[in-house]
Amino acid sequence: MKTSDNDLARAAADGDAAAFASLLERQYDRLFRLAFRLTGTQADAEDLTQDICAALPSKLRSYRADAAVSTWLYRLCVNAAHDRRRKQATHARAASKWGEWEVDRRAGNAERAEEVDWLIAAMRNLPDDLRDTLALILDDITHRDAADILGVSEGTVSWRISEAKKHLKRIRAGGDLI
Amino acid sequence: MTDDLNDLKNAMESATPAPDGARKAANLALAQKNFAALQGSADQTRPTSSRPTRGLWTGVRQMLNTFTGRAALTASTAIVAVGFVILTPLGNDLVPNTVAKRPVQSPQETFTAEADMALEEAEITLLPAPAPAAPDVLQPKRSAAQSSTALGSVAMNDSMAIAPQTEPAPSRELDTESFANEPSNPIRIVSEDPVSTFSIDVDTASYAVVRNSLMNGLMPPKDAVRVEEMVNYFTYDYTAPDGDAAFRPSVSVSQTPWNQNTQLVHIGLQGAVPSIAERPPLNLVFLIDTSGSMDQPNKLPLLKQSFRLMLAQLRPEDEVAIVTYAGSAGQVLDPTPAAERSKIMAALDNLDAGGSTAGQEGLQQAYATAAAMTEEGDVTRVLLATDGDFNVGLSDPDALTDFIAEKRDSGTYLSVLGFGRGNLDDATMQALAQNGNGQAAYIDTLSEAQKVLVDQLTGALFPIANDVKIQVEFNPTQIAEYRLIGYETRALRREDFNNDKIDAGDIGSGHQVTALYEVTPVGSPAQLTDPLRYGSTDSAEPISDELGFLRLRYKAPGASESQLIETPISTDLSPNTGGDFAAAIAGFGQLLRDAPYLGNWGYEDAIALANETKGEDPFGYRSAAVQLMRLASSLSEQP
């Protein structure tokens, strides 16, 4: 029998270091996965996860028991990604990261699936808000939770997903990705 | 979920690499460390002062944030090393093995296998109660498999990311402050370069940043010190302008405190103080950053308190609107007369940090609101409050400043208030405020908010002269060398002085601007350069015994043509006491920047001079400056 994440979070918020450790241990890989999808490179994802880890202890104080820990953490992650992106002065740098990746890919990774190539390049071309929303939905978050995490309405999430799909379709139709 | 999305999801699953083991251990350790540190300091919610006793948290963060923190480097090396021993053997073994076992595999198979596994796992983790301990074992396997299928480039990253074992990067993301500054102005030789041109600067942000650093027990970053902003933080005893004049220059010459063979030329501008009762109605649009990073006691809560202070100073016919920029972007408060204070307060109180950011959208909306509020004769200003970390959305920063400059020409001004430290993007703040004809101020405590928003409300909000430029021509028969102290970021080209198209700083009502030159008279032993052997001496007829000639250009608000004020700098000017305090502050600023030219003059001398000249000091600002000098003095003695 294991303690629920919410209980762990509550205990951690009250200063229980062991609870904090095991909560983070449980959630780390999920956080990293989302971080990767939000940033687009492993290095950035590691850094973003580091940001979150560093700030988590103080953020935990604002954790309210009424939200699921996973949802709350995802929101933290999305916000941290935004903060990072803003720090990177312009969108250009983030985009160029995806660009480097694309170059790497072209350098030849024969075994990598074509679909993956396409997706990575396509994600690069999405506007930030669409990419964030899509990253959450692709991570099995429901539209309602995604709306909660992003601080927008559920309708907006659905709209963004359909926009993102349109974008992707257009990119696919356009053929050339760069 | 539709089929489309399922395909995407599967593809995404296989593209996602595994977290790096060493980084993970380090990150977890960092979190633990911060967690432990935080337990010591329960009181985080009242940011009335940035006193150094704020608790362990500040200390630890500062320590981690600072590159110079040797202790932090050592500490995090230890953390990373320990983490490495515990975790990497597993990761290391797994990665190559799996790669070897699964050399070629049809992508389709991989997708489904990965996706299913990930799905199960996701469900497991989502269920709160019976999450088994198994993921600990499962996850590395999956991760390794994924990284092997995913991409070679990531595998490369893996091996590079393990490098922290030998060269750890201590928590580098926490501190992304950037400051706008240039190297200290060099000595200029009058016979070669007799004319010095610069734009005035009424910002005071640099002083507040310096204070915040010193109060937290750290020397400020050198680039954070802009000497002119420190000098301009204080008010001096200048003569008020007569009649309708917008401002009045006063010039004095005194002995340089740090060099007995040079002199300080002290140029002061005093803006006119129109009677408060006659001021035009004011339209204010608060553009407030409510992104996640503002969720700290010294950011959004302090901002609310600050604005509350200012509300009390507004008059019933003034109007206030609030626009936020974040995920919940939009107008929080429609234009509301200041008389309805409770409504405005309620809107302020409801602001919550969180969500994504769209700075440019917010700015556009703020300007649109401002335009709608403006009536003939009103003064309209957008007050941008942010932690400095300004998101420019999808377009580049240049486009943003262009946009602001365009709006400036349409009569809406922009001021920038910075809150919090850690990711203060001072350079962007400066750029925005300079382009928006506004003031950039940094607010770290309630008393600073009081100074910026209340005491100087009229100055900050009502411009009386735009594009104020100063040009000084030195007389080569009297002065051999000169050096402008500060204003490095405000230098203008000589030809820009007469070009009304070139933007420069603005003066608000009651503002003061002070500029100091250190000049070396001809024949002084302090001269650093030798005269030219073959230099032209034919024009050396002493035309006058003036030290130089001061020219000022400014535009009346809204005017497109500038007016010129000229006054000679003569030798018989008497120094005023206020000027000497300015010299003490200028010396202090230069000490903080490690600027050359000060010789053996140190903090003790600055303290003595400041104490001697601080005069009446009704608000205690000058005594507080002496306090900072003492702090800097003791900090600078530490190794």
mmCIF file of all heavy atoms in Angstrom, chain B residues 15-51:
data_model
loop_
_atom_site.group_PDB
_atom_site.id
_atom_site.type_symbol
_atom_site.label_atom_id
_atom_site.label_comp_id
_atom_site.label_asym_id
_atom_site.label_seq_id
_atom_site.Cartn_x
_atom_site.Cartn_y
_atom_site.Cartn_z
ATOM 1 N N ALA B 15 9.663 9.574 -29.758
ATOM 2 C CA ALA B 15 10.653 10.638 -29.905
ATOM 3 C C ALA B 15 11.180 11.098 -28.555
ATOM 4 O O ALA B 15 12.235 11.707 -28.478
ATOM 5 C CB ALA B 15 10.033 11.819 -30.650
ATOM 6 N N THR B 16 10.418 10.819 -27.512
ATOM 7 C CA THR B 16 10.804 11.353 -26.208
ATOM 8 C C THR B 16 11.952 10.552 -25.608
ATOM 9 O O THR B 16 11.827 9.346 -25.428
ATOM 10 C CB THR B 16 9.600 11.312 -25.250
ATOM 11 O OG1 THR B 16 8.511 11.951 -25.893
ATOM 12 C CG2 THR B 16 9.926 12.015 -23.966
ATOM 13 N N PRO B 17 13.043 11.206 -25.322
ATOM 14 C CA PRO B 17 14.184 10.475 -24.766
ATOM 15 C C PRO B 17 14.010 10.237 -23.272
ATOM 16 O O PRO B 17 13.094 10.783 -22.658
ATOM 17 C CB PRO B 17 15.354 11.421 -25.025
ATOM 18 C CG PRO B 17 14.729 12.776 -24.970
ATOM 19 C CD PRO B 17 13.325 12.635 -25.484
ATOM 20 N N ALA B 18 14.891 9.456 -22.725
ATOM 21 C CA ALA B 18 14.868 9.213 -21.289
ATOM 22 C C ALA B 18 15.601 10.335 -20.576
ATOM 23 O O ALA B 18 16.524 10.920 -21.133
ATOM 24 C CB ALA B 18 15.557 7.896 -20.995
ATOM 25 N N PRO B 19 15.176 10.649 -19.368
ATOM 26 C CA PRO B 19 15.949 11.644 -18.615
ATOM 27 C C PRO B 19 17.337 11.104 -18.335
ATOM 28 O O PRO B 19 17.528 9.908 -18.171
ATOM 29 C CB PRO B 19 15.146 11.820 -17.326
ATOM 30 C CG PRO B 19 14.239 10.656 -17.246
ATOM 31 C CD PRO B 19 14.042 10.132 -18.626
ATOM 32 N N ASP B 20 18.268 12.004 -18.296
ATOM 33 C CA ASP B 20 19.644 11.608 -18.020
ATOM 34 C C ASP B 20 19.810 11.270 -16.545
ATOM 35 O O ASP B 20 19.368 12.027 -15.678
ATOM 36 C CB ASP B 20 20.568 12.759 -18.414
ATOM 37 C CG ASP B 20 22.004 12.443 -18.072
ATOM 38 O OD1 ASP B 20 22.569 11.602 -18.770
ATOM 39 O OD2 ASP B 20 22.521 13.025 -17.106
ATOM 40 N N GLY B 21 20.415 10.143 -16.275
ATOM 41 C CA GLY B 21 20.508 9.677 -14.901
ATOM 42 C C GLY B 21 21.241 10.627 -13.967
ATOM 43 O O GLY B 21 20.776 10.936 -12.878
ATOM 44 N N ALA B 22 22.375 11.113 -14.439
ATOM 45 C CA ALA B 22 23.179 11.988 -13.577
ATOM 46 C C ALA B 22 22.453 13.296 -13.312
ATOM 47 O O ALA B 22 22.414 13.794 -12.182
ATOM 48 C CB ALA B 22 24.530 12.262 -14.248
ATOM 49 N N ARG B 23 21.848 13.820 -14.371
ATOM 50 C CA ARG B 23 21.109 15.067 -14.187
ATOM 51 C C ARG B 23 19.947 14.860 -13.234
ATOM 52 O O ARG B 23 19.644 15.690 -12.393
ATOM 53 C CB ARG B 23 20.590 15.585 -15.530
ATOM 54 C CG ARG B 23 21.635 16.260 -16.381
ATOM 55 C CD ARG B 23 22.218 17.496 -15.711
ATOM 56 N NE ARG B 23 21.266 18.589 -15.533
ATOM 57 C CZ ARG B 23 21.020 19.502 -16.462
ATOM 58 N NH1 ARG B 23 21.633 19.474 -17.609
ATOM 59 N NH2 ARG B 23 20.159 20.471 -16.222
ATOM 60 N N LYS B 24 19.308 13.704 -13.396
ATOM 61 C CA LYS B 24 18.163 13.429 -12.543
ATOM 62 C C LYS B 24 18.590 13.413 -11.083
ATOM 63 O O LYS B 24 17.962 14.049 -10.232
ATOM 64 C CB LYS B 24 17.538 12.087 -12.929
ATOM 65 C CG LYS B 24 16.385 11.683 -12.034
ATOM 66 C CD LYS B 24 15.714 10.427 -12.542
ATOM 67 C CE LYS B 24 14.631 9.969 -11.571
ATOM 68 N NZ LYS B 24 13.923 8.779 -12.034
ATOM 69 N N ALA B 25 19.674 12.721 -10.821
ATOM 70 C CA ALA B 25 20.144 12.644 -9.438
ATOM 71 C C ALA B 25 20.487 14.030 -8.916
ATOM 72 O O ALA B 25 20.123 14.408 -7.797
ATOM 73 C CB ALA B 25 21.372 11.737 -9.365
ATOM 74 N N ALA B 26 21.160 14.799 -9.758
ATOM 75 C CA ALA B 26 21.550 16.142 -9.333
ATOM 76 C C ALA B 26 20.319 17.002 -9.086
ATOM 77 O O ALA B 26 20.250 17.747 -8.107
ATOM 78 C CB ALA B 26 22.443 16.778 -10.400
ATOM 79 N N ASN B 27 19.352 16.889 -9.995
ATOM 80 C CA ASN B 27 18.141 17.695 -9.853
ATOM 81 C C ASN B 27 17.371 17.311 -8.595
ATOM 82 O O ASN B 27 16.869 18.174 -7.872
ATOM 83 C CB ASN B 27 17.248 17.527 -11.081
ATOM 84 C CG ASN B 27 17.837 18.193 -12.305
ATOM 85 O OD1 ASN B 27 18.786 18.969 -12.184
ATOM 86 N ND2 ASN B 27 17.297 17.901 -13.464
ATOM 87 N N LEU B 28 17.276 15.996 -8.356
ATOM 88 C CA LEU B 28 16.568 15.562 -7.155
ATOM 89 C C LEU B 28 17.290 16.069 -5.915
ATOM 90 O O LEU B 28 16.674 16.529 -4.956
ATOM 91 C CB LEU B 28 16.465 14.030 -7.124
ATOM 92 C CG LEU B 28 15.560 13.414 -8.196
ATOM 93 C CD1 LEU B 28 15.531 11.897 -8.063
ATOM 94 C CD2 LEU B 28 14.148 13.965 -8.087
ATOM 95 N N ALA B 29 18.613 16.012 -5.946
ATOM 96 C CA ALA B 29 19.385 16.465 -4.794
ATOM 97 C C ALA B 29 19.199 17.959 -4.574
ATOM 98 O O ALA B 29 19.057 18.436 -3.444
ATOM 99 C CB ALA B 29 20.862 16.133 -4.995
ATOM 100 N N LEU B 30 19.177 18.683 -5.694
ATOM 101 C CA LEU B 30 18.975 20.131 -5.606
ATOM 102 C C LEU B 30 17.621 20.440 -4.957
ATOM 103 O O LEU B 30 17.504 21.295 -4.075
ATOM 104 C CB LEU B 30 19.033 20.745 -7.003
ATOM 105 C CG LEU B 30 18.710 22.224 -7.102
ATOM 106 C CD1 LEU B 30 19.782 23.052 -6.422
ATOM 107 C CD2 LEU B 30 18.581 22.650 -8.560
ATOM 108 N N ALA B 31 16.620 19.696 -5.400
ATOM 109 C CA ALA B 31 15.285 19.907 -4.844
ATOM 110 C C ALA B 31 15.294 19.630 -3.345
ATOM 111 O O ALA B 31 14.738 20.388 -2.554
ATOM 112 C CB ALA B 31 14.281 19.010 -5.564
ATOM 113 N N GLN B 32 15.971 18.541 -2.965
ATOM 114 C CA GLN B 32 16.047 18.207 -1.552
ATOM 115 C C GLN B 32 16.717 19.315 -0.752
ATOM 116 O O GLN B 32 16.283 19.698 0.323
ATOM 117 C CB GLN B 32 16.862 16.914 -1.366
ATOM 118 C CG GLN B 32 16.076 15.661 -1.657
ATOM 119 C CD GLN B 32 14.861 15.552 -0.764
ATOM 120 O OE1 GLN B 32 14.953 15.689 0.446
ATOM 121 N NE2 GLN B 32 13.688 15.334 -1.345
ATOM 122 N N LYS B 33 17.789 19.804 -1.330
ATOM 123 C CA LYS B 33 18.569 20.831 -0.647
ATOM 124 C C LYS B 33 17.716 22.093 -0.448
ATOM 125 O O LYS B 33 17.655 22.662 0.638
ATOM 126 C CB LYS B 33 19.781 21.138 -1.507
ATOM 127 C CG LYS B 33 20.817 22.015 -0.862
ATOM 128 C CD LYS B 33 21.926 22.231 -1.896
ATOM 129 C CE LYS B 33 22.651 23.512 -1.625
ATOM 130 N NZ LYS B 33 23.875 23.349 -0.896
ATOM 131 N N ASN B 34 17.046 22.485 -1.516
ATOM 132 C CA ASN B 34 16.181 23.660 -1.418
ATOM 133 C C ASN B 34 15.056 23.433 -0.426
ATOM 134 O O ASN B 34 14.656 24.331 0.301
ATOM 135 C CB ASN B 34 15.600 24.010 -2.784
ATOM 136 C CG ASN B 34 16.637 24.665 -3.682
ATOM 137 O OD1 ASN B 34 17.721 24.981 -3.218
ATOM 138 N ND2 ASN B 34 16.299 24.858 -4.931
ATOM 139 N N PHE B 35 14.572 22.197 -0.451
ATOM 140 C CA PHE B 35 13.483 21.877 0.457
ATOM 141 C C PHE B 35 13.953 22.037 1.902
ATOM 142 O O PHE B 35 13.305 22.681 2.723
ATOM 143 C CB PHE B 35 13.015 20.445 0.212
ATOM 144 C CG PHE B 35 11.795 20.070 0.999
ATOM 145 C CD1 PHE B 35 10.547 20.386 0.514
ATOM 146 C CD2 PHE B 35 11.898 19.423 2.218
ATOM 147 C CE1 PHE B 35 9.411 20.060 1.242
ATOM 148 C CE2 PHE B 35 10.772 19.097 2.948
ATOM 149 C CZ PHE B 35 9.522 19.418 2.450
ATOM 150 N N ALA B 36 15.120 21.462 2.162
ATOM 151 C CA ALA B 36 15.653 21.532 3.522
ATOM 152 C C ALA B 36 15.900 22.984 3.917
ATOM 153 O O ALA B 36 15.573 23.408 5.024
ATOM 154 C CB ALA B 36 16.952 20.733 3.608
ATOM 155 N N ALA B 37 16.457 23.748 2.977
ATOM 156 C CA ALA B 37 16.776 25.135 3.286
ATOM 157 C C ALA B 37 15.517 25.928 3.595
ATOM 158 O O ALA B 37 15.509 26.815 4.442
ATOM 159 C CB ALA B 37 17.505 25.761 2.106
ATOM 160 N N LEU B 38 14.473 25.569 2.888
ATOM 161 C CA LEU B 38 13.238 26.330 3.024
ATOM 162 C C LEU B 38 12.605 26.135 4.388
ATOM 163 O O LEU B 38 11.915 27.017 4.888
ATOM 164 C CB LEU B 38 12.267 25.878 1.930
ATOM 165 C CG LEU B 38 11.037 26.726 1.740
ATOM 166 C CD1 LEU B 38 11.466 28.130 1.344
ATOM 167 C CD2 LEU B 38 10.177 26.139 0.653
ATOM 168 N N GLN B 39 12.828 24.972 4.985
ATOM 169 C CA GLN B 39 12.173 24.698 6.256
ATOM 170 C C GLN B 39 12.600 25.687 7.329
ATOM 171 O O GLN B 39 11.913 25.900 8.291
ATOM 172 C CB GLN B 39 12.438 23.271 6.716
ATOM 173 C CG GLN B 39 11.981 22.218 5.724
ATOM 174 C CD GLN B 39 10.602 22.496 5.182
ATOM 175 O OE1 GLN B 39 9.674 22.791 5.925
ATOM 176 N NE2 GLN B 39 10.448 22.429 3.862
ATOM 177 N N GLY B 40 13.778 26.271 7.150
ATOM 178 C CA GLY B 40 14.266 27.201 8.160
ATOM 179 C C GLY B 40 13.564 28.537 8.151
ATOM 180 O O GLY B 40 13.618 29.276 9.116
ATOM 181 N N SER B 41 12.951 28.891 7.041
ATOM 182 C CA SER B 41 12.427 30.245 6.928
ATOM 183 C C SER B 41 10.942 30.222 6.632
ATOM 184 O O SER B 41 10.518 30.117 5.506
ATOM 185 C CB SER B 41 13.146 30.990 5.806
ATOM 186 O OG SER B 41 12.917 30.288 4.609
ATOM 187 N N ALA B 42 10.181 30.310 7.681
ATOM 188 C CA ALA B 42 8.742 30.206 7.491
ATOM 189 C C ALA B 42 8.148 31.489 6.932
ATOM 190 O O ALA B 42 7.204 31.464 6.175
ATOM 191 C CB ALA B 42 8.075 29.868 8.816
ATOM 192 N N ASP B 43 8.759 32.591 7.259
ATOM 193 C CA ASP B 43 8.129 33.853 6.899
ATOM 194 C C ASP B 43 8.560 34.308 5.516
ATOM 195 O O ASP B 43 9.650 34.801 5.318
ATOM 196 C CB ASP B 43 8.507 34.915 7.927
ATOM 197 C CG ASP B 43 7.868 36.242 7.585
ATOM 198 O OD1 ASP B 43 6.792 36.215 6.954
ATOM 199 O OD2 ASP B 43 8.446 37.273 7.940
ATOM 200 N N GLN B 44 7.683 34.103 4.574
ATOM 201 C CA GLN B 44 8.040 34.480 3.205
ATOM 202 C C GLN B 44 7.071 35.482 2.627
ATOM 203 O O GLN B 44 7.199 35.914 1.503
ATOM 204 C CB GLN B 44 8.004 33.229 2.321
ATOM 205 C CG GLN B 44 9.332 32.552 2.221
ATOM 206 C CD GLN B 44 9.701 32.355 0.789
ATOM 207 O OE1 GLN B 44 8.876 31.991 -0.021
ATOM 208 N NE2 GLN B 44 10.932 32.623 0.454
ATOM 209 N N THR B 45 6.087 35.830 3.388
ATOM 210 C CA THR B 45 4.981 36.497 2.737
ATOM 211 C C THR B 45 4.975 38.008 2.873
ATOM 212 O O THR B 45 4.158 38.659 2.247
ATOM 213 C CB THR B 45 3.642 35.971 3.278
ATOM 214 O OG1 THR B 45 3.779 35.858 4.685
ATOM 215 C CG2 THR B 45 3.318 34.625 2.688
ATOM 216 N N ARG B 46 5.835 38.570 3.697
ATOM 217 C CA ARG B 46 5.749 40.021 3.807
ATOM 218 C C ARG B 46 7.013 40.692 3.283
ATOM 219 O O ARG B 46 8.022 40.770 3.954
ATOM 220 C CB ARG B 46 5.499 40.440 5.250
ATOM 221 C CG ARG B 46 4.018 40.632 5.488
ATOM 222 C CD ARG B 46 3.771 41.476 6.690
ATOM 223 N NE ARG B 46 4.070 42.869 6.464
ATOM 224 C CZ ARG B 46 3.287 43.690 5.827
ATOM 225 N NH1 ARG B 46 2.192 43.263 5.292
ATOM 226 N NH2 ARG B 46 3.614 44.947 5.702
ATOM 227 N N PRO B 47 6.923 41.181 2.099
ATOM 228 C CA PRO B 47 8.118 41.697 1.456
ATOM 229 C C PRO B 47 8.326 43.172 1.728
ATOM 230 O O PRO B 47 8.605 43.939 0.833
ATOM 231 C CB PRO B 47 7.795 41.478 -0.011
ATOM 232 C CG PRO B 47 6.310 41.669 -0.075
ATOM 233 C CD PRO B 47 5.758 41.261 1.246
ATOM 234 N N THR B 48 8.184 43.587 2.930
ATOM 235 C CA THR B 48 8.295 45.014 3.158
ATOM 236 C C THR B 48 9.728 45.489 3.063
ATOM 237 O O THR B 48 9.980 46.661 2.931
ATOM 238 C CB THR B 48 7.750 45.388 4.542
ATOM 239 O OG1 THR B 48 8.245 44.431 5.466
ATOM 240 C CG2 THR B 48 6.245 45.357 4.560
ATOM 241 N N SER B 49 10.655 44.608 3.173
ATOM 242 C CA SER B 49 12.032 45.050 3.092
ATOM 243 C C SER B 49 12.865 43.886 2.630
ATOM 244 O O SER B 49 12.524 42.736 2.829
ATOM 245 C CB SER B 49 12.498 45.531 4.455
ATOM 246 O OG SER B 49 13.790 45.045 4.712
ATOM 247 N N SER B 50 13.970 44.171 1.990
ATOM 248 C CA SER B 50 14.824 43.095 1.544
ATOM 249 C C SER B 50 15.984 42.963 2.509
ATOM 250 O O SER B 50 17.121 42.894 2.119
ATOM 251 C CB SER B 50 15.327 43.384 0.139
ATOM 252 O OG SER B 50 15.850 44.691 0.122
ATOM 253 N N ARG B 51 15.680 42.986 3.754
ATOM 254 C CA ARG B 51 16.738 42.908 4.748
ATOM 255 C C ARG B 51 17.469 41.571 4.612
ATOM 256 O O ARG B 51 16.886 40.583 4.196
ATOM 257 C CB ARG B 51 16.136 43.056 6.134
ATOM 258 C CG ARG B 51 15.124 41.973 6.458
ATOM 259 C CD ARG B 51 14.298 42.377 7.656
ATOM 260 N NE ARG B 51 13.446 41.302 8.082
ATOM 261 C CZ ARG B 51 12.308 40.988 7.495
ATOM 262 N NH1 ARG B 51 11.898 41.671 6.458
ATOM 263 N NH2 ARG B 51 11.566 39.989 7.936
#
